[in-house]
């Protein structure tokens, strides 16, 4: 029988696929997250420096641990690491020093519940907690407000979707006389002047929620619940193309040079950024589906729902390696980070999951860190130099990237 926690996890991903096999047992018990502290256990010295060599298969101990105000509503963008600071979406919004775990700054009531951490040009962009239509920019190093703008009173609560050096891109409902928002717009706000650079109404019937976006090389790319992939010009807002895919994709896609790569059920599909032509497609095994693709150091990595790991050339779709050894050893990963030759994968809703460390050249599992809390909340991982910011439920850890 499939364990109840596995069924809950699959329900959360929307795959509806039964995944069999025992999970990897965690590599060391952890108590409840408390005040940040150094560790003299394997992985670091008392100051969290001087990482030691670990026995094969052994996960490092956290360099520090702390409580997190994670609201579990921000999805992909609940954890970020920038400039040596770890950020967690929640109230209060807190920035912690990745070296020590100490709180560098804390701001309560600065944004809306479940706000995504949108970073661009060294600024953190958030919807204002005042529900006044403002979008605010914070300095991630200090938490101080450095920027503020708005679309106008005729729009309902703009929400940042993506940002780059020139613009922050927001989605907002168009308020009707009866205060409903049957239609919505995507707009770009100039990050220098705070003025609206462009504003484009989306097609009737499109929804305001379930959108994942990225701004790369003059293109704004986004997917939505309605099974679309859409690309706009960041300078003008003009829609360049939109394509239907076979399933909704509201989590993560990858962009590599002139391609956007999406997980579409059993296939990874790459579309030309300029015109939308499908350039390549890669299929996984029957009864399995691909999870979110990531391009790291020029290689595309993805797990599938049967727990196999894939490394693919993102330019051609040719397989570099396909590791099936994890089917009875590890739960599937949904979010990846890479440091040097090690690929780190955070798992989803499974008490036996955690953060896996893989050999990036072969896909072989090196170790798994699990805090043994029994919490089935998904894990998050972000690279921060030679450390990893790791979040699980309302616990935040720093692991050495070893």
């Amino acid at each position: 029988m499939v364990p109840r926690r596995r069924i809950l996890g699959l329900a959360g991903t929307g795959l509806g696929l039964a995944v069999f096999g025992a999970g990897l047992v965690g590599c060391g018990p952890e108590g409840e997250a408390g005040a940040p502290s150094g560790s003299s256990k394997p992985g670091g010295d008392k100051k969290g420096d001087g990482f030691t060599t670990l026995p094969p298969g052994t996960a490092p101990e956290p360099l520090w641990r702390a409580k997190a105000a994670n609201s579990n509503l921000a999805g992909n963008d609940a954890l970020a690491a920038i400039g040596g600071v770890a950020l967690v979406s929640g109230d209060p919004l807190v920035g912690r020093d990745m070296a020590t775990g100490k709180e560098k700054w804390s701001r309560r009531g600065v944004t809306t519940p479940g706000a995504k951490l949108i970073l661009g040009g060294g600024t953190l962009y958030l919807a204002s907690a005042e529900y006044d239509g403002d979008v605010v920019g914070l300095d991630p190093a200090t938490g101080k407000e450095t920027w503020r703008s708005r679309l106008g009173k005729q729009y309902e609560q703009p929400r940042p979707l993506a940002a780059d050096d020139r613009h922050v891109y927001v989605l907002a409902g168009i308020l009707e006389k009866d205060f409903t928002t049957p239609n919505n717009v995507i707009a770009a706000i100039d990050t220098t002047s705070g003025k609206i650079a462009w504003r484009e109404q989306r097609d009737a019937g499109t929804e305001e929620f379930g959108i994942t976006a990225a701004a790369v090389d003059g293109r704004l790319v986004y997917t939505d619940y309605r099974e679309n992939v859409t690309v706009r010009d960041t300078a003008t807002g003009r829609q360049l193309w939109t394509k239907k895919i076979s399933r909704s994709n509201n989590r993560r896609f990858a962009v590599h040079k002139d391609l956007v790569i999406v997980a579409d059920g059993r296939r990874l599909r790459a579309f030309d950024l300029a015109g939308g032509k499908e350039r390549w497609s890669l299929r996984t095994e029957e009864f399995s589906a691909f999870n979110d693709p990531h391009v790291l150091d020029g290689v595309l990595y993805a797990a599938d729902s049967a727990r196999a790991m894939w490394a693919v050339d993102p330019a051609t779709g040719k397989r570099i390696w396909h590791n099936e050894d994890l089917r009875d050893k590890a739960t599937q990963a949904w979010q990846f980070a890479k440091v040097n030759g090690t690929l780190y994968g955070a798992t989803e809703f499974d008490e036996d999951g955690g953060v896996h460390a893989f050999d990036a050249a072969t896909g072989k599992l090196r170790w798994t860190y699990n805090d043994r809390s029994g919490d089935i909340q998904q894990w998050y991982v972000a690279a921060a130099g030679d450390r990893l910011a790791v979040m699980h439920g309302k616990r935040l850890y720093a692991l050495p990237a070893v």
Side-chain angles (χ1 to χ4, degrees):
M1 295 180 64
V2 181
R4 180 174 179 271
R5 57 178 168 76
R6 185 81 67 217
I7 295 172
L8 290 171
L10 294 172
T13 63
L15 293 176
L17 299 170
V19 181
F20 297 90
L24 184 69
V25 177
C27 297
E30 297 291 342
E32 288 297 315
S37 61
S39 171
S40 58
K41 297 180 181 179
D45 63 17
K46 291 182 180 180
K47 295 181 180 179
D49 299 316
F51 304 151
T52 58
T53 301
L54 300 169
T58 303
E61 294 287 343
L63 301 172
W64 54 259
R65 64 200 71 174
K67 292 181 180 179
N70 174 30
S71 64
N72 299 320
L73 298 174
N76 300 338
D77 304 299
L79 174 68
I82 180 172
V85 178
L87 305 171
V88 175
S89 176
D91 192 14
L93 184 64
V94 175
R96 289 192 180 276
D97 189 307
M98 277 299 302
T100 64
K102 293 181 178 179
E103 186 178 289
K104 295 193 70 174
W105 57 266
S106 176
R107 298 223 22 209
R108 188 174 294 278
V110 71
T111 189
T112 55
K116 296 181 178 182
L117 301 176
I118 303 298
L119 292 161
T123 298
L124 172 65
Y125 294 100
L126 303 160
S128 169
E130 300 299 322
Y131 293 92
D132 53 7
D134 283 5
V135 177
V136 298
L138 305 182
D139 180 351
T142 64
K144 293 181 179 179
E145 183 177 316
T146 58
W147 185 90
R148 181 178 289 260
S149 185
R150 65 167 55 199
L151 282 186
K153 293 183 178 179
Q154 67 270 40
Y155 299 101
E156 182 227 15
Q157 191 60 19
R159 294 177 299 283
L161 296 174
D164 55 26
D165 290 342
R166 294 183 59 193
H167 301 130
V168 55
Y169 304 92
V170 300
L171 180 71
I174 303 172
L175 280 170
E176 301 293 338
K177 292 181 180 179
D178 60 358
F179 298 103
T180 61
T181 56
N183 299 301
N184 59 83
V185 297
I186 279 186
I189 304 175
D190 188 290
T191 54
T192 300
S193 67
K195 296 180 178 179
I196 299 169
W198 52 259
R199 176 172 40 201
E200 293 290 328
Q201 183 169 329
R202 298 174 70 214
D203 294 340
T206 53
E207 299 176 358
E208 294 182 51
F209 301 95
I211 293 188
T212 298
V216 182
D217 294 334
R219 299 288 184 264
L220 177 65
V221 187
Y222 55 94
T223 57
D224 58 40
Y225 277 146
R226 292 298 183 95
E227 303 174 358
N228 299 305
V229 182
T230 304
V231 175
R232 293 181 181 270
D233 184 287
T234 58
T236 65
R238 182 173 63 91
Q239 182 172 298
L240 301 177
W241 57 268
T242 186
K243 291 277 186 180
K244 280 287 183 183
I245 54 178
S246 65
R247 57 175 292 182
S248 63
N249 186 324
N250 66 311
R251 296 216 311 188
R252 190 181 296 276
F253 53 82
V255 178
H256 176 71
K257 295 183 178 179
D258 59 345
L259 298 176
V260 54
I261 305 162
V262 300
D264 188 7
R266 287 185 61 196
R267 292 189 294 162
L268 288 174
R269 302 175 68 187
F271 299 100
D272 182 80
L273 263 176
K277 181 180 180 181
E278 186 168 319
R279 295 264 289 270
W280 59 259
S281 175
L282 178 67
R283 188 179 295 272
T284 187
E285 290 90 348
E286 193 173 5
F287 307 121
S288 66
F290 276 111
N291 291 334
D292 312 318
H294 291 61
V295 174
L296 302 168
D297 293 340
V299 178
L300 186 150
Y301 298 100
D304 64 31
S305 58
R307 299 184 185 177
M309 284 284 297
W310 298 74
V312 177
D313 181 342
T316 64
K318 292 183 179 179
R319 184 176 68 186
I320 298 172
W321 51 256
H322 176 216
N323 193 327
E324 298 178 310
D325 297 341
L326 309 180
R327 288 183 171 175
D328 295 326
K329 297 179 181 179
T331 52
Q332 59 185 310
W334 75 283
Q335 188 183 63
F336 293 100
K338 189 177 181 182
V339 179
N340 298 324
T342 302
L343 179 70
Y344 301 93
T347 68
E348 286 200 289
F349 308 96
D350 196 307
E351 66 187 36
D352 292 330
V355 174
H356 301 317
F358 305 100
D359 185 322
T362 65
K364 182 179 179 181
L365 181 67
R366 293 181 51 214
W367 49 258
T368 295
Y369 172 77
N370 185 296
D371 59 13
R372 289 198 176 179
S373 65
D375 191 340
I376 64 170
Q377 293 292 336
Q378 64 190 25
W379 290 73
Y380 294 81
V381 63
D386 59 356
R387 288 169 167 77
L388 301 171
V390 173
M391 185 168 67
H392 183 215
K394 295 186 181 298
R395 305 167 183 86
L396 181 66
Y397 309 105
L399 294 181
V402 295

